[in-house]
């Protein structure tokens, strides 16, 4: 049986993030990808030059069209843009008793452009997050959602605990924004008490556009195929590590990652370390 995943996110005209990155990742990991578009962006490796949101009912109709016809086994949300869209997504997913929800709380683009309206943060935290099988914030996103400054390992764990208390079943705290120049280390914590870290060599490159979208899409693909959340996170860490390492060197700014690298190099990946 073919596994099917749904991504609800914005479009990236540069192809490195958003819906485009999600669908590429689904395809590479053997999952049929469907989509519901929340906004069109005029975007390239140099930045976001325009954001053009759809209205909430248009987003709803796309989700309904997919859920009425396809056996979706995992859903991912990315850029949702507004509180109205978030509330409509929540309402629609509840109606369909949607399967595992992976939330990538997209808020700010690599170049600094805001991708989530201020009033939407509250809706994301209070209405969408309680539906999450897992949420995958980077440090700035976690600071905003948890309402605290994150500077130390203890801060990271505290913020993760706050997100679990807010209703998520599990959290991956992505460490790419931390100052450690040697490693990129992510923390997994679940409401059931499971906790581990995933560490990989830090790759010093400017080609990191779409890493968050790609990582969460990789989790979604594995969950859609029936893998346990812990295993899905480990596969996603391998996938994004090699996607960054084997960069494509495209564009004049923050270039995209290599979405097909995992297919070629997965047998050779030995650099991601599990720390219990």
């Amino acid at each position: 049986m073919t596994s099917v995943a749904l991504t609800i996110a914005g479009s990236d005209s540069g192809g490195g993030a958003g819906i485009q990155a999600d669908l590429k990742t689904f395809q590479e990991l053997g999952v049929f990808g469907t989509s519901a578009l929340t906004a069109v962006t005029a975007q390239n490796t140099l930045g976001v030059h325009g954001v053009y949101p759809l209205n909430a009912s248009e987003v709803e109709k796309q989700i309904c069209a997919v859920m009425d016809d396809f056996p979706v086994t995992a859903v991912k949300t990315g850029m949702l843009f507004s509180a109205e869209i978030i509330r409509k997504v929540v309402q629609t997913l509840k109606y369909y008793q949607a399967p595992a929800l992976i939330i990538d709380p997209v808020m700010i683009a690599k170049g600094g452009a805001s991708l989530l309206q201020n009033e939407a943060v509250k809706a994301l935290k209070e209405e969408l997050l309680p539906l999450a099988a897992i949420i995958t914030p980077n440090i700035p996103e976690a600071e905003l959602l948890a309402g605290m400054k994150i500077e130390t390992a203890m801060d990271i764990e505290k913020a993760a605990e706050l997100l679990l208390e807010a209703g998520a079943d599990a959290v991956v705290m992505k460490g790419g924004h931390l100052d450690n120049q040697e490693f990129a280390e992510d923390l997994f914590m679940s409401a059931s008490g499971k906790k581990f870290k995933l560490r990989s060599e830090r790759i010093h490159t400017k080609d990191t556009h779409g890493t968050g979208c790609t990582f969460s899409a990789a989790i979604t693909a594995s969950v859609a195929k029936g893998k346990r959340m812990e295993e899905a996170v480990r596969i996603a860490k391998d996938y994004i590590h090699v996607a960054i390492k084997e960069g494509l060197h495209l564009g004049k700014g923050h270039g995209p990652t290599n979405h097909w690298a995992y297919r070629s190099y997965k047998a050779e990946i030995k650099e991601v370390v599990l720390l219990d």
Side-chain angles (χ1 to χ4, degrees):
M1 180 177 176
T2 301
S3 299
V4 179
L6 166 64
T7 171
I8 307 169
S11 168
D12 172 11
S13 53
I19 288 280
Q20 287 85 345
D22 294 345
L23 294 177
K24 291 173 185 177
T25 302
F26 292 166
Q27 182 80 11
E28 288 300 316
L29 290 173
V31 169
F32 184 82
T34 61
S35 62
L37 194 63
T38 60
V40 173
T41 69
Q43 186 175 172
N44 57 24
T45 67
L46 296 172
V48 179
H49 306 286
V51 179
Y52 312 98
L54 279 72
N55 66 51
S57 64
E58 291 167 341
V59 176
E60 176 191 23
K61 287 178 181 177
Q62 294 176 78
I63 298 171
C64 291
V66 172
M67 298 297 288
D68 284 340
D69 192 32
F70 293 88
V72 175
T73 49
V75 178
K76 179 211 158 175
T77 60
M79 180 181 116
L80 298 177
F81 186 73
S82 69
E84 291 77 17
I85 290 175
I86 290 171
R87 293 190 182 106
K88 186 61 72 174
V89 167
V90 169
Q91 175 188 331
T92 310
L93 293 180
K94 284 183 175 179
Y95 173 80
Y96 283 99
Q97 298 181 324
L101 175 63
I102 291 81
I103 298 176
D104 179 19
V106 177
M107 297 179 180
I108 300 171
K110 274 285 185 295
S114 177
L115 298 175
L116 187 68
Q117 293 181 330
N118 291 334
E119 62 267 27
V121 176
K122 186 172 186 288
L124 192 156
K125 182 176 180 180
E126 296 181 0
E127 299 182 49
L128 186 66
L129 194 149
L131 303 182
I134 190 166
I135 184 169
T136 62
N138 59 33
I139 296 301
E141 292 163 349
E143 287 181 332
L144 197 54
L145 289 171
M148 61 176 286
K149 188 70 176 172
I150 299 174
E151 295 177 334
T152 67
M154 289 184 63
D155 292 338
I156 291 172
E157 290 204 20
K158 177 60 177 176
E161 289 169 357
L162 290 173
L163 295 179
L164 293 173
E165 289 172 7
D169 289 338
V171 180
V172 174
M173 300 287 287
K174 297 179 296 190
H177 283 76
L178 296 176
D179 291 334
N180 190 319
Q181 295 299 300
E182 188 176 359
F183 300 111
E185 190 171 276
D186 305 327
L187 171 68
F188 174 91
M189 288 180 63
S190 72
S192 63
K194 292 186 175 68
K195 180 171 73 172
F196 59 83
K197 292 180 180 180
L198 288 165
R199 174 185 289 178
S200 61
E201 171 196 5
R202 182 175 291 276
I203 300 162
H204 298 279
T205 176
K206 65 182 180 65
D207 295 334
T208 56
H209 180 57
T211 51
C213 303
T214 300
F215 176 72
S216 56
I219 294 174
T220 307
S222 288
V223 171
K225 292 162 71 174
K227 295 186 182 299
R228 293 183 303 109
M229 189 60 69
E230 299 95 311
E231 185 180 2
V233 169
R234 291 166 187 161
I235 291 170
K237 180 69 169 179
D238 286 340
Y239 185 92
I240 192 59
H241 175 73
V242 75
I244 297 170
K245 183 177 181 180
E246 302 297 327
L248 300 171
H249 311 298
L250 293 172
K252 300 173 183 176
H254 292 288
T257 65
N258 184 344
H259 290 96
W260 65 77
Y262 181 78
R263 177 173 18 126
S264 302
Y265 291 90
K266 65 181 178 180
E268 301 174 23
I269 298 172
K270 299 180 177 66
E271 297 164 334
V272 174
V273 179
L274 173 64
L275 304 172
D276 289 314

